[in-house]
């Protein structure tokens, strides 16, 4: 019995050390200047291909933030992390909603912020075990306390997975639309943002119902918030706090608020009805908070 207790204590100590090292490792300060490629996710995909005897190569090209269309920034934030400007790496409300959806559907629903996704993509794995989540939380806290929001977005958009072996918005834009990330239209950006929850399963240029419905709602929210007109400066400006008038504020819903992670068979017309801000497919951004 004593040997078993000793073994358990050793395992617990090893686990604590393994988790605790992430308080110092990796060097997050390097991310201020260094382009962190290849990422852990890229290496994970390469290992998968090797095990499956598949001859594939990572498609990736780093671009500066100024070379990414504001449409992409808007669409990704609406789809993946609508509270990005206001949280410090963790969206408590979003996590609560994810837990509720998990309990209702008996599945694991995501509630990760962009900073959490970045932590996982750069240094960890797709595993959803509790130990990995603790490591992710530590790295996320360090990233949020070291990097600017602009830099977090720049890195995320350059390393996010957009298909089997397709990493970064530039590679995605050229693969799916034959153009640079800077030239992506609002509708194209909405399509690309729609597949982020599962880029291996979904194709932004395909006819899958989930992608069509989700991208339609992302685009409608972009329209409602006035983001389909040509301005760039507002992209990096946090939204102003709306005055509490006691009335509901139209235009604040995110895709998760509207239908969680699973698109419904039919969308309610009132859920996406918005004034026409610009012609369909127009490129650009807005000068008002989204």
């Amino acid at each position: 019995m004593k040997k078993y207790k000793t073994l358990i204590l050793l395992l617990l100590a090893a686990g604590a050390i393994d988790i605790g090292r992430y308080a110092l490792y990796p060097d997050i300060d390097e991310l201020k200047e260094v382009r962190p490629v290849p990422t852990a996710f890229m290496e994970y995909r390469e290992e998968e291909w090797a095990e499956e005897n598949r001859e594939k190569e990572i498609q990736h090209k780093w671009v500066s933030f100024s070379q990414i269309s504001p449409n992409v920034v808007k669409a990704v934030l609406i789809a993946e992390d609508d509270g990005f400007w206001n949280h410090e790496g963790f969206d408590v409300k979003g996590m609560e909603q994810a837990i509720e959806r998990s309990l209702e559907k008996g599945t694991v629903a995501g509630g990760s912020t962009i900073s959490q996704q970045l932590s996982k993509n750069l240094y960890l794995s797709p595993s959803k075990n509790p130990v990995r989540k603790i490591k992710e939380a530590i790295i996320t806290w360090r990233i949020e306390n070291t990097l600017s929001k602009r830099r977090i977005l720049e890195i995320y958009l350059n390393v996010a997975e957009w298909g089997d072996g397709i990493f970064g918005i530039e590679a995605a834009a050229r693969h799916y639309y034959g153009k640079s990330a800077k030239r992506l239209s609002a509708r194209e950006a909405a399509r690309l943002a729609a597949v982020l929850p599962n880029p291996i399963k979904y194709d932004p240029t395909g006819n899958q119902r989930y992608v069509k419905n989700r991208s339609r709602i992302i685009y409608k929210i972009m329209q409602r918030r006035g983001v389909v007109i040509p301005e760039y400066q507002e992209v990096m400006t946090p939204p102003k706090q709306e005055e509490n008038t006691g009335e509901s504020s139209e235009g604040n819903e995110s895709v998760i608020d509207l239908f969680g992670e699973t698109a419904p068979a039919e969308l309610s017309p009132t859920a996406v009805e918005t004034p026409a801000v610009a012609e369909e497919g127009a490129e650009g951004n807005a000068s008002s908070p989204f």
Side-chain angles (χ1 to χ4, degrees), residues 29-30 33 69 121 156 169 180 192 259 267 283:
D29 279 326
E30 287 187 351
E33 302 293 339
S69 168
N121 290 351
Y156 175 78
I169 188 60
S180 68
L192 286 165
F259 59 75
L267 296 179
E283 297 189 23

Side-chain angles (χ1 to χ4, degrees), residues 16-29:
I17 292 172
D18 180 46
I19 293 173
R21 67 192 176 99
Y22 283 92
L24 300 173
Y25 167 87
D27 185 359
I28 303 300
D29 279 326

Side-chain angles (χ1 to χ4, degrees), residues 18-32 88-90 113 115-116 118-120 122-124 133-149 151-152 155:
D18 180 46
I19 293 173
R21 67 192 176 99
Y22 283 92
L24 300 173
Y25 167 87
D27 185 359
I28 303 300
D29 279 326
E30 287 187 351
L31 295 179
K32 293 178 180 178
E88 296 180 356
F90 305 94
T113 63
S115 298
Q116 287 175 281
L118 181 59
S119 301
K120 178 178 64 176
L122 290 180
Y123 304 114
L124 302 170
K133 294 297 289 184
I134 294 173
K135 294 176 182 178
E136 177 189 294
I138 295 171
I139 297 172
T140 297
W141 181 84
R142 294 179 61 206
I143 283 177
E144 281 280 341
N145 283 274
T146 304
L147 306 179
S148 67
K149 290 286 190 179
R151 181 59 174 168
I152 291 172
I155 298 175

Side-chain angles (χ1 to χ4, degrees), residues 11 15 28 31 104 107-108 122 178 181 187 209:
L11 290 173
I28 303 300
L31 295 179
E104 290 174 0
T107 59
V108 179
L122 290 180
R187 284 199 178 276
R209 178 179 292 179

Side-chain angles (χ1 to χ4, degrees), residues 61 68 74 85 87 122 156 183 194 212-213 221:
K61 182 180 180 181
I68 300 173
K74 293 293 189 176
W85 300 114
H87 65 62
L122 290 180
Y156 175 78
R183 296 181 56 241
K212 290 170 66 176
N213 289 345
I221 294 175

Side-chain angles (χ1 to χ4, degrees), residues 156-230:
Y156 175 78
L157 292 172
N158 271 288
V159 302
E161 187 172 28
W162 258 289
D164 192 16
I166 303 169
F167 287 86
I169 188 60
E170 182 70 13
R174 293 189 180 279
H175 177 83
Y176 293 114
Y177 296 108
K179 62 174 68 174
S180 68
K182 190 172 184 178
R183 296 181 56 241
L184 287 169
S185 70
R187 284 199 178 276
E188 291 165 344
R191 278 261 176 171
L192 286 165
V195 306
L196 281 171
N198 195 334
I200 302 298
K201 180 179 180 180
Y202 299 117
D203 182 343
T205 59
N207 293 317
Q208 295 153 307
R209 178 179 292 179
Y210 174 86
V211 177
K212 290 170 66 176
N213 289 345
R214 186 176 172 90
S215 63
R216 183 190 309 147
I217 289 179
I218 294 171
Y219 180 76
K220 290 296 184 179
I221 294 175
M222 292 171 74
Q223 280 189 307
R224 183 180 295 125
R225 296 178 184 183
V227 301
V228 194
I229 55 177

Side-chain angles (χ1 to χ4, degrees), residues 242-263:
E242 296 189 358
E243 296 180 3
N244 185 6
T245 60
E247 299 178 355
S248 62
S249 177
E250 185 175 274
N252 268 349
E253 61 273 82
S254 68
V255 174
I256 293 296
D257 293 332
L258 289 175
F259 59 75
E261 294 196 335
T262 304

